[in-house]
Amino acid sequence: MGSSFSLCYPSDKTFTINGVKYTVNRILGEGGFSFVYLVKENTGSKKYALKVMICQTQESINTAKREINAFQTFNHANIMKLIDHSVSNHSQDTKEYKLLLPYYKDGTLQDLIDNQRTIHGKDTKKPLFKEKTCLEFFSKVCEAIQVFHNHSPPLAHRDIKPGNIALHNLRRLSNNDNNNNIVGNDNDSDIEAIPILMDFGSVREARIKVENRKEALSLQDEVEQNTTPFYRAPELFDIPSDCQIDERIDVWALGCLLYTMAYNNSPFEVCDNEPNGSVALKVLSGLPKPFPPPQSNYSNQFNQLIIDMVNLNKDERLHLNQVIERINQIIQS
Ligand SMILES: Nc1ncnc2c1ncn2[C@@H]1O[C@H](COP(=O)(O)OP(=O)(O)OP(=O)(O)O)[C@@H](O)[C@H]1O
C-alpha cells in the first residue's frame, strides 16, 4: 500500500472539494484504487467520510463515474447520500475523484460480525441478532436493493456484502444489561441498527445477454474485478458463451448476506490454508451441509428463505419482491 497511499495522502493532510477545505483525521478503509478517510471541515466541527479514488485507467474512471451516477440517481433512506464531489487531474494520466459522504461512526456490518466472531479471543457461533431484528434489518437492505432492480432499465448492485453496509443508530439490546456496547457477548444479546447501503462502483445494468466467447470473457473479467467471491453467484464463476444473467445475482448475494448475519460467516468462506479456486468449488456445491447447522437459533421458515435465495439454479431462485413478501410473512407469523 506504501506507494498508492503516499500518492493520495497530501503532505498537509488537507483535501479541497469545490473550494471547501477538509483535514484528514484517519483512514477508515481502502479498496483497489481508493481510500476512505475520516475528515473534518476546517471551518466547522462536522465529520465526514471522504472517498478518494485515484484513477489511472479508463476502467477505473468509468467505475468512479458509475459510482457518482448511482449516488445521484437514487434517494432512499437506506442508500448512502453523496454530499459533494469533485474531480481533478492528479497528474498527466491520473484523475482524482473525491466523494464527500456522511460519516457513519458505528462502522459496517462486517465490523460487527468480526467482533461477534471472536469474543474474548475465542471463535464463537453465538448469533448477533435475534430472528425478528435480523429480518427487520435485512428487509431494509432488500428495500434499498429493490430501488436498483426497479430502475428502468433494471440495475444490479453486484457487490452486496457486509462491508458495504454501514450502520446508523447502532444499539445493543440485551436482557442482562442496558449498555450500548457494540459487541454482543451472551445468548440474549440482540442488535438494532439502520442499514445504509454503499459502494456503487460495481452497479451495472442487471440483464445481460452473452452471445459469444468474447462477451463471456469480457463479463468474466469485469465481475472478477468488481464482485467479491464469497458473495458471487455461481453463474458468474465460469461464464458460458451463450447465457443470460439478471438481477438474481443480487438475490444470491443477499441470501449469503442473510446466512452471514445468522451464522457469523459467509457460507462460502475459505480459510487461508485452503487452495486457490476452492471458493468456486464451494459455491458450485451449494450451501454447506448440514443446513441448517445443528442448534440453529433460527426458524425453519428463516432457513428455508436462505435455501430459496442461495439456489444454484438461477431460474428457480427467488426474485427480490418474493423475498420481501416472505420476510413480511415470517415477521408476522
Ligand atoms: N461513509 C462512511 N462512513 C464510515 N466508514 C466508511 C464510509 N464509507 C466507507 N467507509 C469505510 O471504508 C471502507 C471502504 O469503503 P468502500 O467500500 O466505499 O470502498 P471501496 O474502495 O469501493 O472498497 P471495496 O472495493 O473493498 O468494497 C468500508 O468498508 C468502510 O469500512
Side-chain angles (χ1 to χ4, degrees):
M1 140 174 161
S3 60
S4 48
F5 182 72
S6 53
L7 190 69
C8 77
Y9 198 82
S11 51
D12 65 352
K13 285 185 135 193
T14 63
F15 285 100
T16 305
I17 303 183
N18 300 323
V20 183
K21 279 192 169 168
Y22 300 88
T23 302
V24 174
N25 181 310
R26 64 182 168 90
I27 282 199
L28 293 170
E30 62 181 284
F33 59 95
S34 68
F35 289 86
V36 182
Y37 303 100
L38 171 62
V39 299
K40 199 166 76 69
E41 198 180 333
N42 281 12
T43 54
S45 57
K46 208 159 174 216
K47 291 176 179 165
Y48 299 93
L50 176 64
K51 182 165 179 172
V52 180
M53 303 163 95
I54 305 287
C55 302
Q56 292 169 310
T57 60
Q58 191 54 47
E59 181 45 37
S60 58
I61 292 174
N62 293 344
T63 300
K65 285 184 178 167
R66 259 192 298 268
E67 175 139 32
I68 293 168
N69 190 37
F71 272 120
Q72 292 175 330
T73 306
F74 301 112
N75 182 13
H76 185 271
N78 302 105
I79 296 179
M80 198 175 280
K81 310 240 179 313
L82 180 64
I83 296 170
D84 203 355
H85 74 281
S86 70
V87 55
S88 50
N89 289 323
H90 194 274
S91 63
Q92 206 180 0
D93 310 312
T94 309
K95 277 188 189 300
E96 183 180 79
Y97 285 83
K98 286 174 279 193
L99 280 62
L100 190 70
L101 306 165
Y103 167 52
Y104 289 95
K105 68 175 174 43
D106 295 321
T108 67
L109 179 60
Q110 186 65 56
D111 300 328
L112 209 55
I113 289 165
D114 289 344
N115 278 331
Q116 182 71 7
R117 274 171 77 147
T118 348
I119 295 173
H120 306 312
K122 281 195 250 151
D123 252 10
T124 172
K125 294 278 177 206
K126 278 182 185 163
L128 187 56
F129 295 92
K130 292 219 187 309
E131 180 165 312
K132 184 161 177 280
T133 41
C134 184
L135 286 173
E136 284 167 350
F137 181 98
F138 181 67
S139 107
K140 293 198 177 94
V141 179
C142 292
E143 283 166 24
I145 297 294
Q146 200 177 33
V147 173
F148 288 80
H149 292 189
N150 286 347
H151 182 266
S152 178
L155 300 173
H157 182 284
R158 285 201 181 175
D159 199 17
I160 302 163
K161 59 180 180 181
N164 283 339
I165 297 169
L167 303 169
H168 184 46
N169 283 349
L170 174 65
R171 283 200 317 139
R172 177 188 172 202
L173 312 169
S174 164
N175 288 344
N176 297 336
D177 70 48
N178 293 322
N179 68 28
N180 286 346
N181 290 340
I182 290 179
V183 182
N185 59 4
D186 56 57
N187 275 330
D188 283 330
S189 68
D190 197 4
I191 296 290
E192 223 177 55
I194 299 169
I196 308 288
L197 183 70
M198 62 178 176
D199 195 359
F200 306 122
S202 52
V203 172
R204 298 283 193 291
E205 276 197 30
R207 296 176 188 174
I208 296 180
K209 194 163 164 30
V210 174
E211 290 180 319
N212 54 52
R213 190 76 198 128
K214 192 166 168 235
E215 288 173 5
L217 289 174
S218 142
L219 180 60
Q220 189 73 59
D221 234 36
E222 196 191 287
V223 297
E224 278 169 17
Q225 281 177 39
N226 290 300
T227 68
T228 305
F230 297 165
Y231 295 84
R232 187 184 296 155
E235 59 269 28
L236 298 179
F237 275 91
D238 187 12
I239 300 170
S241 305
D242 177 14
C243 68
Q244 272 187 307
I245 62 159
D246 64 28
E247 51 272 41
R248 279 174 290 181
I249 58 173
D250 280 350
V251 172
W252 173 278
L254 283 165
C256 297
L257 176 74
L258 185 58
Y259 181 110
T260 307
M261 290 173 66
Y263 300 110
N264 297 345
N265 59 270
S266 147
F268 306 114
E269 209 160 302
V270 292
C271 307
D272 289 343
N273 59 3
E274 289 182 81
N276 275 343
S278 44
V279 182
L281 284 180
K282 274 197 171 177
V283 169
L284 296 172
S285 316
L287 284 169
K289 315 267 178 321
F291 186 81
Q295 293 158 355
S296 167
N297 284 278
Y298 298 92
S299 67
N300 290 341
Q301 294 162 287
F302 180 103
N303 287 315
Q304 189 60 45
L305 177 60
I306 295 178
I307 292 172
D308 295 339
M309 296 175 81
V310 186
N311 188 326
L312 287 167
N313 182 343
K314 70 177 167 56
D315 298 323
E316 288 172 7
R317 201 176 298 150
L318 294 179
H319 282 275
L320 193 51
N321 54 349
Q322 296 172 300
V323 173
I324 293 172
E325 266 171 40
R326 292 267 290 270
I327 296 171
N328 290 337
Q329 283 164 9
I330 304 172
I331 290 177
Q332 282 156 23
S333 66

